[in-house]
Amino acid sequence: MSSPRHFLTLANLTSDELRGIIDRAIELKKLQREGVAHARYPGKVMAMLFSKASTRTRVSFEVGMRQLGGSALFLSSADTQLGRGEPIEDTARVLSSMVDLVMIRTHEHASVERFADVASVPVINGLTDDFHPCQLLADMQTWFEHRGDIRGRRVCWLGDGNNMCNSYINAARLLDFELVVACPAGYEPDAHLVAANRDRVSIEARPEVAVRGADLLITDVWASMGQEEEQQARSRAMAPYQLNHDLLAGAAADALYMHCLPAHRGEEISGELMDASDTVIWDEAENRLHAQKALIEFLLD
Ligand code: CP
Ligand code: NVA
């Protein structure tokens, strides 16, 4: 039996495949809006394993599976044997025999890799400490809808070099854009990823320099899930990197800005930008649904 395709990072896709998923996501959004049924997978079931909190990821996968004709099971680590120490590999083998897809949100990225190594159904990374590839599908769909191709554009990441930032590095390589990461010393993204993508990724500690000419600015929380006790130190270090009107004014005239949410107004992003009438942040959140439906189709087909 051939092994299934997994989506653990964007690097599991070719550029053409990623572009295909984005195109299909845009199409699926239109079908959904027009009320055109596209329930292509009756009876298919996705298991969703969560060891961290979620609003968007859970709801978008659950609703997405339903719109595609299937269903999804929410499994929290607090309620499964996985949370009581059953080996990941045993869980992967059992779930593979019962469901058609597995989505996992957890801490260590190695955990989803171990699961996928044994699983005989596609495994989707719904966020680990190192990567959040599903969010990138939605972000890129949002960019393509509003601005067209992102090839050759300048994108600026502000704040913590976290799981989202690492995923932006992968996106820069696959979609051929320039990524400038503006972060304080000690909060850089994964060093190996940066080294492997030096032709497209640079680090610039001065936020006002990093945003110059940027077509897209992105930020995320300063303390990710699991880093709550570092909140104060992180807030002190990252305060100059707040995405606000002043920084935005230094970017390209028609620059877009995004945030994967949940956001902390007055910390990594100003309340003014969060609540601006022309922000695309809410499209970005909605696009989780459409982009992941396109991903599910890609993996099941
Ligand atoms: N952006 C995102 O993944 O949101 P949730 O944590 O609510 O799933
Ligand atoms: N970087 C954040 C993203 C939340 C969707 C975290 O990992 O908590």
Side-chain angles (χ1 to χ4, degrees):
M1 197 182 73
S2 64
S3 50
R5 290 292 296 265
H6 299 300
F7 184 63
L8 307 188
T9 74
L10 286 175
N12 292 138
L13 302 176
T14 65
S15 300
D16 285 348
E17 285 169 344
L18 175 55
R19 286 175 179 278
I21 290 171
I22 295 167
D23 288 347
R24 179 63 178 157
I26 293 170
E27 204 167 54
L28 282 168
K29 184 173 184 174
K30 199 161 166 273
L31 295 181
Q32 185 61 28
R33 291 261 164 91
E34 290 169 354
V36 179
H38 47 276
R40 301 181 53 211
Y41 305 105
K44 296 281 186 193
V45 178
M46 171 187 280
M48 306 189 296
L49 291 164
F50 281 94
S51 311
K52 289 176 174 173
S54 169
T55 298
R56 280 145 288 269
T57 304
R58 177 181 177 179
V59 174
S60 54
F61 272 117
E62 201 161 325
V63 171
M65 279 304 290
R66 213 170 291 180
Q67 290 177 356
L68 289 171
S71 59
L73 295 173
F74 171 74
L75 302 166
S76 124
S77 60
D79 307 315
T80 56
Q81 298 291 4
L82 203 51
R84 294 181 60 247
E86 183 169 10
I88 289 172
E89 289 77 7
D90 293 359
T91 309
R93 190 177 282 202
V94 173
L95 289 186
S96 293
S97 71
M98 298 181 186
V99 304
D100 304 284
L101 277 167
V102 178
M103 187 240 76
I104 306 175
R105 167 169 285 197
T106 192
H107 299 271
E108 289 176 14
H109 190 73
S111 301
V112 295
E113 292 178 333
R114 282 173 55 197
F115 195 107
D117 277 348
V118 175
S120 56
V121 297
V123 176
I124 297 171
N125 174 4
L127 182 147
T128 60
D129 291 346
D130 296 337
F131 294 100
H132 194 7
C134 290
Q135 184 66 50
L136 259 290
L137 298 181
D139 285 23
M140 291 301 104
Q141 178 186 348
T142 308
W143 174 273
F144 276 65
E145 283 176 340
H146 285 271
R147 294 284 187 268
D149 204 335
I150 198 163
R151 178 175 281 137
R153 298 294 201 134
R154 182 177 165 99
V155 176
C156 176
W157 175 271
L158 290 159
D160 187 20
N162 62 12
N163 44 9
M164 276 294 298
C165 183
N166 288 335
S167 291
Y168 261 91
I169 295 177
N170 280 335
R173 188 175 71 249
L174 285 170
L175 296 176
D176 205 9
F177 59 81
E178 181 195 354
L179 179 68
V180 185
V181 178
C183 61
Y187 295 100
E188 294 87 357
D190 182 276
H192 296 292
L193 263 183
V194 174
N197 293 284
R198 272 197 210 293
D199 50 340
R200 289 190 185 78
V201 179
S202 59
I203 307 230
E204 167 56 66
R206 296 163 296 177
E208 65 288 352
V209 174
V211 299
R212 266 182 220 153
D215 301 296
L216 171 61
L217 307 182
I218 327 114
T219 193
D220 185 14
V221 291
W222 289 337
S224 284
M225 289 182 275
Q227 299 173 331
E228 288 79 4
E229 73 288 353
E230 298 172 26
Q231 177 73 52
Q232 276 198 337
R234 287 171 164 270
S235 296
R236 271 196 301 276
M238 292 183 218
Y241 298 84
Q242 185 193 68
L243 177 50
N244 55 31
H245 182 77
D246 289 347
L247 268 191
L248 186 60
D254 63 345
L256 293 181
Y257 61 91
M258 297 189 195
H259 189 309
C260 67
L261 305 179
H264 298 91
R265 288 168 171 76
E267 292 182 30
E268 76 276 3
I269 187 165
S270 66
E272 187 189 15
L273 290 194
M274 271 306 293
D275 299 321
S277 58
D278 60 350
T279 182
V280 300
I281 284 174
W282 310 111
D283 295 342
E284 181 191 3
E286 178 190 331
N287 284 341
R288 292 293 302 277
L289 170 65
H290 310 297
Q292 287 159 200
K293 282 164 71 181
L295 173 69
I296 291 165
E297 284 190 348
F298 173 79
L299 294 173
L300 287 179
D301 290 347

